[in-house]
Amino acid sequence: MTPPRPLLVPTLCAGGDCGGRNVVLHPADPAVTFLAHGIGSQHDLPISPFYAFAGAFAALFVSFLALGLLWSTSRFRGDRSGLALPAGLQRVADAPATRTTLRGLGLAAALAVLLHLLLGPDDPARNPAPGAVYVLLWVGLVPVSLLFGPVWRLLNPLRTLHRLLVRALPRPGRPLPHGLGQWPAAVGLFGFTWLELVSPDPASTTTLLFALGGYTALQLALAARFGEDWFADGDAFEAYSALLARLSPFGRRDDGRLVLRNPFHGLDATPERPGLVATVCVLLGSTAYDGFSDNPSWINAIQTSPLGRTPAATLGLLGSIALVATLYCLCAAATRLVSGPHPGPLTAFAHSLVPISLGYLTAHYLSLLVTEGPRTVSMALGTDNAPEPLSPLGPGALAALQVVAVVTGHVLGVVAAHDRSVRLFPPAKAVAGQLPLLALMITYTIGGLSLLLN
């Protein structure tokens, strides 16, 4: 009997010796189905765990001690800070023609994805739509938002469609429910990460059509009820872009001026709203799940689970998010015990998790963007024989970059938390109150590096 032909599953390695090439797997191998999910996966990094953990702990402890000794008063001023950019530049940025052009580009890109889903082959190796959603949108929004601010607000095709519908059928919006905050964005982000990491066939054109079509219909229906303000917190991608843009060097002061600023000022201005903690924990937890989801032991566990692969993987994703959230809530409770009562102990330090999320996103997905991104664009432009994705960095350099990204994210989180602590608590308790936060940062660092060095 002729043995079954091996399958070539496109997978992107974060390090090791695969270099982004195809991995040959037997179709009976349970990893085949799982690695076909989403766009790529990662493997062992060629770096010493001892040096990685030692460097991470040293960076955290040195930064904590230096802040405690040298940083006794709050230095971040949120939206009140920034060097005003030239008025001409602001006029161009705020010009109706600029905004209309960006909205048109966003709508045109969405229509192009829709056409590829409707008319293109049901094969992610020949159809750019899955790469456009999972790479260019999900991962590409990270560097774009960091460099230029919350650009998805202008590119968002849902906003543009809503405006067109409102012109045709004017309808006054109702006030958003009190206390809703960013909970819709947290739910939407969970739904997207479930689609990419858990759903049986996320790169299928049928799956993407149903998911994107349902999401669009729901968002437009809610915007018709509550008005355009719904998208700021209701659209998962707009809230995601705005959250990462808090670390952009460009922003707006509270007087509306476009400014060049210290990113920490923008981070300090993160609104303490309901659902903020949930949104950040979804980002952290889902990235952590993506880090261990291609572990052979986990693949075997979900493939042999009596619940079935999809329910077991769903519980794994929920468990990862719940673990991240539980650790943060315990930290907030400990901080309140040490430093004294505070009206919003959960949201007060939630902004310090944003740079940690950024570090994890960079470590896990940067190589995916720089390899799969160009190939997706090449396919979208109709180029035949799109090049195989190749990482511009060697395994060692990529491993070092990923470790630095995780550690830097935690150090920035320590700085943000310290500045908030010295503002909220008396000097005698400000540093002691950060010990639970330091313990949380160390725990997250151990977890993040363990996933990279697994």
Side-chain angles (χ1 to χ4, degrees):
M1 178 184 230
T2 303
R5 184 172 173 227
L7 298 180
L8 285 176
V9 181
T11 178
L12 177 66
C13 299
D17 56 4
C18 59
R21 296 184 295 274
N22 289 335
V23 177
V24 180
L25 296 172
H26 193 280
D29 190 334
V32 171
T33 303
F34 197 73
L35 285 178
H37 292 181
I39 295 295
S41 63
Q42 62 182 49
H43 297 272
D44 298 346
L45 299 184
I47 193 170
S48 168
F50 172 79
Y51 290 115
F53 283 109
F57 294 154
L60 287 173
F61 278 113
V62 169
S63 60
F64 177 77
L65 292 175
L67 290 169
L69 294 173
L70 304 175
W71 198 308
S72 58
T73 59
S74 177
R75 303 183 184 184
F76 303 146
R77 302 189 304 278
D79 287 336
R80 295 172 296 164
S81 66
L83 177 65
L85 293 173
L89 181 60
Q90 176 150 357
R91 283 196 297 270
V92 172
D94 293 340
T98 302
R99 293 172 178 266
T100 300
T101 300
L102 291 174
R103 293 189 187 103
L105 289 174
L107 186 59
L111 291 175
V113 171
L114 176 62
L115 289 176
H116 280 292
L117 289 175
L118 290 172
L119 306 176
D122 192 9
D123 179 2
R126 296 186 295 127
N127 191 326
V133 174
Y134 295 123
V135 179
L136 298 183
L137 175 60
W138 176 242
V139 185
L141 268 181
V142 177
V144 171
S145 300
L146 282 177
L147 290 175
F148 303 110
V151 292
W152 190 246
R153 180 181 177 86
L154 294 176
L155 293 171
N156 191 350
L158 298 178
R159 275 188 182 266
T160 305
L161 288 174
H162 171 73
R163 290 191 174 196
L164 295 174
L165 292 173
V166 166
R167 288 180 182 178
L169 300 169
R171 182 179 178 181
R174 302 181 182 182
L176 290 169
H178 178 71
L180 185 64
Q182 289 191 330
W183 280 106
V187 174
L189 286 172
F190 173 79
F192 179 81
T193 54
W194 182 92
L195 176 70
E196 181 188 11
L197 303 175
V198 175
S199 63
D201 196 4
S204 162
T205 55
T206 302
T207 299
L208 280 172
L209 273 172
F210 274 105
L212 296 179
Y215 183 77
T216 299
L218 178 62
Q219 288 290 313
L220 292 178
L222 290 168
R225 179 177 179 84
F226 299 113
E228 190 173 343
D229 290 343
W230 163 262
F231 293 110
D233 292 319
D235 177 28
F237 299 102
E238 193 163 309
Y240 169 62
S241 173
L243 195 61
L244 294 173
R246 290 291 169 183
L247 285 166
S248 172
F250 299 103
R252 289 191 185 267
R253 283 197 313 235
D254 49 14
D255 61 0
R257 285 301 303 269
L258 191 65
V259 296
L260 182 67
R261 67 187 181 188
N262 180 340
F264 277 113
H265 293 298
L267 181 62
D268 185 67
T270 304
E272 297 180 29
R273 309 192 58 196
L276 173 62
V277 175
T279 301
V280 181
C281 288
V282 168
L283 287 176
L284 279 172
S286 61
T287 307
Y289 177 80
D290 192 21
F292 71 78
S293 62
D294 64 345
N295 185 285
S297 299
W298 176 250
I299 294 173
N300 182 67
I302 63 173
Q303 293 291 347
T304 59
S305 171
L307 297 175
R309 198 208 69 85
T310 301
T314 301
L315 290 177
L317 177 60
L318 284 171
S320 180
I321 295 171
L323 178 60
V324 169
T326 300
L327 290 174
Y328 177 76
C329 291
L330 290 174
C331 170
T335 299
R336 186 169 185 175
L337 287 174
V338 174
S339 299
H342 184 270
L346 284 178
T347 56
F349 295 95
H351 71 300
S352 66
L353 300 183
V354 175
I356 299 175
S357 300
L358 174 61
Y360 283 12
L361 289 168
T362 301
H364 283 269
Y365 300 127
L366 177 63
S367 57
L368 181 66
L369 178 63
V370 298
T371 54
E372 293 289 347
R375 189 169 75 159
T376 298
V377 173
S378 178
M379 283 192 291
L381 295 176
T383 304
D384 293 332
N385 300 320
E388 288 294 325
L390 296 174
S391 176
L393 298 176
L398 184 57
L401 176 63
Q402 290 176 309
V403 171
V404 168
V406 171
V407 175
T408 301
H410 286 85
V411 171
L412 296 181
V414 168
V415 174
H418 176 84
D419 188 86
R420 183 64 56 88
S421 181
V422 296
R423 181 190 307 169
L424 295 178
F425 303 121
K429 296 183 178 180
V431 175
Q434 293 178 67
L435 292 175
L437 288 167
L438 178 63
L440 177 70
M441 299 297 178
I442 292 175
T443 303
Y444 283 168
T445 302
I446 292 173
L449 293 180
S450 296
L451 292 175
L452 287 177
L453 302 170
N454 178 25

